[in-house]
Amino acid sequence: MLKAPRTLTFKCANCGKSVQVFLQKVSACSHIQPYQGICKCGEVKRHATGQKDAVQSYLESPDGSWSHHH
């Protein structure tokens, strides 16, 4: 199985600059690989790959306090 990259780079939706997101710690589970970072302008950027419902719940969590449960 391929390992998820530790960082990804996106364009900030707020200011258009590059923002780097970092792989977040989760349980040893292949359902989701969540990423989060903060742009220099202060905008929080979240991204995730994996199981569709887990990704959606992560991206919709308002404050980043999301956690994945089996």
Side-chain angles (χ1 to χ4, degrees):
M1 182 190 257
L2 294 174
K3 288 180 108 177
R6 291 196 175 294
T7 62
L8 297 171
T9 303
F10 293 92
K11 188 175 279 193
C12 178
N14 189 45
C15 71
K17 292 182 181 177
S18 292
V19 57
Q20 196 168 43
V21 294
F22 299 88
L23 184 62
Q24 303 297 295
K25 289 185 179 184
V26 291
S27 62
C29 151
S30 62
H31 290 119
I32 186 170
Q33 292 81 42
Y35 294 83
Q36 183 169 300
I38 302 175
C39 182
K40 289 178 183 175
C41 74
E43 185 77 10
V44 174
K45 170 67 178 170
R46 283 192 263 165
H47 176 75
T49 60
Q51 193 176 57
K52 187 178 179 179
D53 62 338
V55 169
Q56 184 177 357
S57 69
Y58 172 69
L59 295 176
E60 290 175 352
S61 65
D63 62 359
S65 63
W66 177 92
S67 63
H68 183 60
H69 301 287
H70 285 267

